[in-house]
Amino acid sequence: MLISIFFIIVIYHLFQTTISNERKIFSFIAIFVYLIITVIDYHWLISIENYPFHPSDPSRYYLDIHGLSLKGVLAIESSNHFYFIINWFYDQIWNNAFLVSFLIKINNVLVFISAYLLMTRKAEKFTYIDILLLFNPYAIVTLIRNVRDIYIILFVVMVIVGLDIIPNNRIKKRWFIIGGILLSITRSVLLLIFAFIAFVKYRKRFSKTFQYSVLGVILIGCFIFFQEIMQRIASQFISAMDYMGEDIVEFLPLLSGGLNLSLFIVFIKRIIIALAVFLFTPHPVNFISDWLVNMDETGKMNIYTGLDNVLISFGAIFNYLLVIPVIISYLFHWEKSNKFVFIFVIGFIILYTVAFLGATDIRNRNTVIFFILSGIIVQNQKLKVTKLHYLCAVFIFFSIYFISN
């Protein structure tokens, strides 16, 4: 409850500095919608699953800390102690899985609205892009699950505005520092992207000699540790392929540094496929067909409950009709966007495309959608979605359908 109260205070203060009255109104509407779906999801879990947490990671985050001391929680082998501590904190106060689950879901709603308002509060215009961001079903799927990604979005926003990337929107340096520290214990790899952004943004403050020295050190480091870098990338790449049941024999030489031109070309082709998977799946027809065939009597498939799958199905349709044409327009007109937010988006996509070959959770796709759409909003960009962009979306829709069937 303390965390909820904290974020209610944060939202109140953000409202005071939010320029658009429409943005304030729709934020309230979004909170109301989120809470209704949260209650429905909570009732679904208790009635159908007989447990208040979703399968897989959402349950693990709670079960792994239940009954442990703080020292025991910190001893868990994980790069995500922050979110384990969130679950542990509530468990210490309430010691009731059902109440902890409900409070965490409420917090997710408040954290998401805090991130949205912090990112967009100085944007003058409220447009349909805001509505696509607030009411995207992928965002709702992420909100109702016990996962860290809503907090990661907030921490990324804190770092972005702390770096003075957003026009007229800046927070005090201490919040930027806090955001960076929290991001380092939730998804530290993203700090590499921000290190690059900071160098690009502030390089003119330093002499040419210093700039070239930094670039020289980076290039020398990449040359010296090239084998180690390639082996680490290859290891994650091959692990993802193996997880998806693909033949990995062809790529095994990468683990011992056996990179040649033909293998490199095959590697790049596989990455391009992964990029399409990340950006344009779940495909509505393919996902719904797969779900109807493989679901159990409650609608559950893999780690997603029946309600999750309804939201994902609706989200796949929602995105192909409304969001993907916007993303295509955004990519076509990237030079008009906020270049630093664009760098973050591209960096995030590259990281998850290489690491998971695009076959990642809805929550990671939602992160990309959030920052593409919020990046358009904060730039007050007059984004035109033309017939060409819709035709591209239609082409992608049928291409993925026929290739995969």
Side-chain angles (χ1 to χ4, degrees), residues 3 6-7 10 14 79-86 107-108 110-119 147-166 171-191 194 197 344 348 367 370-371:
I3 296 177
F6 171 77
F7 279 106
V10 168
L14 289 173
S79 60
N80 185 27
H81 284 115
F82 168 83
Y83 203 64
F84 279 117
I85 292 172
I86 291 288
N107 285 342
N108 282 350
L110 299 175
V111 171
F112 187 70
I113 291 298
S114 297
Y116 165 71
L117 289 175
L118 181 57
M119 186 78 170
V147 288
R148 59 180 165 165
D149 294 77
I150 297 301
Y151 287 88
I152 290 171
I153 288 174
L154 175 62
F155 302 154
V156 168
V157 170
M158 289 171 67
V159 174
I160 283 175
V161 297
L163 282 172
D164 198 20
I165 288 172
I166 308 301
I171 56 176
K172 294 180 180 178
K173 289 183 179 179
R174 63 174 177 267
W175 288 108
F176 159 67
I177 294 170
I178 293 171
I181 292 171
L182 292 173
L183 193 58
S184 73
I185 58 175
T186 48
R187 195 157 288 173
S188 58
V189 68
L190 298 182
L191 292 177
F194 284 116
I197 289 173
F344 172 78
F348 189 96
T367 300
F370 178 92
F371 285 104

Side-chain angles (χ1 to χ4, degrees), residues 9 90 188 245 313 344:
I9 294 171
Y90 275 112
S188 58
S313 299
F344 172 78

Side-chain angles (χ1 to χ4, degrees), residues 146-380:
N146 178 27
V147 288
R148 59 180 165 165
D149 294 77
I150 297 301
Y151 287 88
I152 290 171
I153 288 174
L154 175 62
F155 302 154
V156 168
V157 170
M158 289 171 67
V159 174
I160 283 175
V161 297
L163 282 172
D164 198 20
I165 288 172
I166 308 301
N168 304 316
N169 187 7
R170 190 175 184 180
I171 56 176
K172 294 180 180 178
K173 289 183 179 179
R174 63 174 177 267
W175 288 108
F176 159 67
I177 294 170
I178 293 171
I181 292 171
L182 292 173
L183 193 58
S184 73
I185 58 175
T186 48
R187 195 157 288 173
S188 58
V189 68
L190 298 182
L191 292 177
L192 293 174
I193 303 175
F194 284 116
F196 177 74
I197 289 173
F199 177 76
V200 173
K201 179 174 175 58
Y202 297 112
R203 70 188 186 280
K204 292 182 179 178
R205 295 186 180 183
F206 303 99
S207 67
K208 292 289 185 181
T209 302
F210 179 79
Q211 293 179 42
Y212 290 136
S213 297
V214 171
L215 288 173
V217 169
I218 293 173
L219 290 174
I220 292 170
C222 289
F223 177 78
I224 293 173
F225 297 104
F226 178 76
Q227 292 288 353
E228 289 84 349
I229 294 170
M230 285 304 302
Q231 287 174 2
R232 183 169 292 240
I233 293 173
S235 177
Q236 181 63 51
F237 174 83
I238 291 171
S239 176
M241 287 189 69
D242 188 47
Y243 177 79
M244 292 186 290
E246 296 186 29
D247 186 5
I248 62 174
V249 174
E250 185 178 16
F251 295 99
L252 289 179
L254 290 173
L255 295 176
S256 56
L259 181 64
N260 54 56
L261 181 59
S262 60
L263 186 57
F264 180 74
I265 292 172
V266 175
F267 173 80
I268 294 300
K269 287 181 179 178
R270 186 61 187 84
I271 292 298
I272 292 172
I273 294 171
L275 179 63
V277 170
F278 184 87
L279 290 176
F280 305 118
T281 64
H283 185 280
V285 176
N286 293 352
F287 180 83
I288 293 172
S289 299
D290 188 42
W291 173 40
L292 294 176
V293 170
N294 295 297
M295 69 178 182
D296 65 14
E297 65 276 5
T298 68
K300 179 180 175 182
M301 183 177 71
N302 299 324
I303 65 172
Y304 295 111
T305 66
L307 180 58
D308 291 336
N309 287 315
V310 169
L311 288 170
I312 293 170
S313 299
F314 180 56
I317 298 169
F318 180 96
N319 283 313
Y320 263 95
L321 289 177
L322 301 172
V323 177
I324 288 178
V326 172
I327 292 176
I328 292 171
S329 178
Y330 175 80
L331 295 175
F332 276 13
H333 303 287
W334 62 271
E335 73 282 356
K336 296 180 181 179
S337 65
N338 185 301
K339 65 179 179 181
F340 298 113
V341 176
F342 182 80
I343 289 172
F344 172 78
V345 169
I346 296 302
F348 189 96
I349 291 171
I350 291 172
L351 283 173
Y352 279 85
T353 297
V354 174
F356 300 102
L357 297 184
T360 185
D361 290 341
I362 293 299
R363 49 189 172 162
N364 293 317
R365 292 180 170 88
N366 174 62
T367 300
V368 169
I369 291 171
F370 178 92
F371 285 104
I372 287 178
L373 298 182
S374 63
I376 295 169
I377 294 167
V378 300
Q379 201 68 10
N380 289 312

